[in-house]
Structure formats: C-alpha cells, structure tokens
Amino acid sequence: MVDILHRVGMKDGTPEKVYDALTTVDGLAAWWTDDTKGTTDVGGVLEFRFPPGGFDMEVIELRPREGVTWRVVGGPDEWIGTTVDWEIRQDGDYTIVLFKHQGWKEPVEFMHHCSTKWGAYLMSLKALVETGEGTPAPRDVQISNWH
Amino acid sequence: MVDILHRVGMKDGTPEKVYDALTTVDGLAAWWTDDTKGTTDVGGVLEFRFPPGGFDMEVIELRPREGVTWRVVGGPDEWIGTTVDWEIRQDGDYTIVLFKHQGWKEPVEFMHHCSTKWGAYLMSLKALVETGEGTPAPRDVQISNWH
C-alpha cells in the first residue's frame, strides 16, 4: 500500500472557511472542478467530473472544522476503494491542511501523475481561501500530456 | 518505508534539455535554488541551499538523457540516507519526468510538506524547459508557513 501525502497552509484563513470549501458543493466546485454534484452528508456520494473522466466519493466522516474523509466508489480502477482524508488545524496565522490519498495498491505511473495533480489542486484550494478565487477544472493548471 | 512520487510533462521539450537541467549546476540553479554549488560527476556532491537550510546530494548514477539518481548525505535528519531518482523519457510532443524521493522512514508532517513543495519545484522545472524561465528559491512559490 502506498499513499499520496500533501501539506499546504492558507495565510489568514480559518478552519471554518477551509471546512466549507471541502464539504459543500459550491465550495468544492470553486477549487476542484466546476462540475461537482451530489450529497454532502455522511453516507452521501459526491460526483466530480473533469474533461477526461471523474470520481465518485462517498462521504465517510465529517469532523466539523477539523476534517472530512471520503471513500472512492467510482472512477478509474486504481482509485476504487482508496480513501481521501483531509485534516484541518490552525497554526498561528495559517490554516494548515494535511492531505492523504491512501490505499493505492501499486506505485504506478498514474499514481505519480495524481500526486502532482493533487498538489496543483491544493494550491487552487489555497488560492480560493486566500483570495476568493481558485482555478478548478476546466481552468486548472496543466501539468503534462495527461492533463 | 514511504515514497514521494511525481510526474510532469514538458511540451516541446527534449530529453537533452531536461537532463541538462538536472545534471549541471547552472541548470539546477535555474529551477531549484539560485544557491547551487558542487560537483556534478558520479561520486561528487551537489550543495543546494535555501533560506531555511539546505541539502547535500551525492550523485549516485548518471544515465545520459534518461535520468539521474542522488543520495542525500546532508540536510534535515528525515532526509539523510533517502534517495532522489529522476527518470526522463519522450512521449510524443512531451518530455516526461518521473520523480521518486524514496526511503523516508515515517510519513511525518514534514514529508507531507516536502511532497507538495517538490510538486511546486517540478512545475518550476517544467516552466524552465518550456519557457526558459523557472522560479528557483528564493523566488519559489510559497505553499505554507513552512515556506
């Protein structure tokens, strides 16, 4: 089992702002992908769509102002059954996000791509919280021929 | 043991250009840190310095136009003894870089930070190859309170 890990910090952010960006359809659409739909309660499924495909995430746990955990129930084979965990906490002027995409079976080339791409999306989340404007798909940063 | 993995692709790049950016002092200084010194041959040590500290990398293997491997011989405790491996290959119009920072003992919070930060530096390498201009430290993208 191998994991993708990231950490970003939002200057002058608040845990509430970050939690909203991770647990509401409007918040998620403002940094990850315009095409976000679904149910945000525990047990609900969020549907994220991108030009090349998409992911369905079941909401496993909500920890108000502290984090959220999803399980991937639809999308590429390599993603099915993996979990995505977000941890939020305040550290002085910065709101810190610890991100883990866990349970990959093999460190395939697609996992390398997803790691870099998650990093770029986390910078979009950071921009959203700090400036009010993220760069969700289809206006996301292209990192390679795989988009 | 846990690893940091990334993948980027440089449009209209060449393996030669990327190899030069990874194996010459001038190339490395143009995307990672202005303050790069040292010896680029196998067995030599490259010294990378940043405002908060730095890393010494022993060059373990050079594979012309295909990659390079370093071993960390100086820097933060968590980095000592880890390896950084770069694999280069052409895929149509894109030069692909597969990056692995391997051998971390524990998935500590600092590893989360380094993963995101490597992603940002790989985007600087991509910009250098595609446009002739990267954003090495101290002009690098700040991702959090840890820089």
Side-chain angles (χ1 to χ4, degrees):
Chain A
M1 293 282 203
V2 280
D3 304 335
I4 294 171
L5 307 175
H6 286 292
R7 179 187 189 275
V8 291
M10 288 71 166
K11 191 163 160 56
D12 301 325
T14 65
E16 289 74 12
K17 260 196 192 176
V18 174
Y19 186 74
D20 280 355
L22 296 175
T23 58
T24 66
V25 167
D26 285 352
L28 290 158
W31 67 266
W32 200 15
T33 177
D34 279 358
D35 191 353
T36 298
K37 294 191 189 102
T39 311
T40 56
D41 304 325
V42 171
V45 174
L46 286 160
E47 295 163 28
F48 302 98
R49 293 294 176 271
F50 301 80
F55 313 106
D56 296 336
M57 304 282 195
E58 184 185 347
V59 180
I60 297 298
E61 201 180 64
L62 288 170
R63 303 177 296 278
R65 293 173 305 284
E66 293 180 2
V68 54
T69 307
W70 302 327
R71 180 187 298 133
V72 182
V73 295
D77 280 353
E78 296 91 337
W79 279 52
I80 303 286
T82 61
T83 56
V84 176
D85 184 74
W86 303 85
E87 220 183 294
I88 305 164
R89 68 156 202 276
Q90 195 65 20
D91 184 359
D93 292 344
Y94 282 80
T95 309
I96 305 299
V97 171
L98 289 184
F99 169 94
K100 298 184 208 317
H101 185 176
Q102 298 180 294
W104 288 75
K105 288 193 190 75
E106 299 290 338
V108 290
E109 185 164 344
F110 181 50
M111 183 179 171
H112 294 62
H113 165 79
C114 293
S115 174
T116 315
K117 197 75 197 180
W118 272 125
Y121 282 123
L122 282 158
M123 294 304 285
S124 168
L125 171 62
K126 176 175 162 68
L128 173 67
V129 172
E130 291 182 346
T131 71
E133 189 143 10
T135 51
R139 299 176 300 290
D140 52 327
V141 176
Q142 191 175 343
I143 64 167
S144 74
N145 56 338
W146 287 357
H147 201 87
Chain B
M1 293 280 203
V2 281
D3 304 334
I4 294 170
L5 308 175
H6 285 292
R7 179 187 189 275
V8 291
M10 288 71 167
K11 192 165 161 53
D12 301 325
T14 65
E16 288 75 11
K17 260 195 194 177
V18 174
Y19 186 74
D20 281 354
L22 296 175
T23 58
T24 65
V25 168
D26 285 352
L28 290 159
W31 67 267
W32 199 16
T33 177
D34 279 358
D35 191 352
T36 299
K37 294 191 189 100
T39 312
T40 56
D41 304 325
V42 171
V45 174
L46 286 161
E47 294 163 27
F48 303 99
R49 293 293 175 272
F50 301 80
F55 313 106
D56 296 336
M57 303 282 194
E58 184 186 347
V59 180
I60 298 297
E61 201 180 64
L62 289 170
R63 304 177 295 278
R65 293 173 305 284
E66 293 181 359
V68 53
T69 306
W70 302 327
R71 181 189 298 133
V72 183
V73 295
D77 280 352
E78 298 90 335
W79 279 53
I80 303 286
T82 60
T83 57
V84 176
D85 184 74
W86 303 86
E87 219 184 294
I88 305 165
R89 68 157 203 276
Q90 195 65 21
D91 184 359
D93 292 344
Y94 282 81
T95 309
I96 305 299
V97 172
L98 289 185
F99 169 93
K100 297 184 210 317
H101 184 175
Q102 297 180 296
W104 289 75
K105 287 193 189 75
E106 299 289 339
V108 290
E109 186 163 343
F110 182 50
M111 183 179 172
H112 293 63
H113 166 79
C114 293
S115 173
T116 315
K117 196 76 198 179
W118 271 125
Y121 282 122
L122 283 158
M123 294 304 286
S124 168
L125 170 63
K126 175 176 162 69
L128 173 68
V129 173
E130 291 182 347
T131 71
E133 187 142 12
T135 51
R139 298 177 300 290
D140 53 327
V141 176
Q142 190 176 345
I143 64 166
S144 74
N145 54 338
W146 288 356
H147 201 89

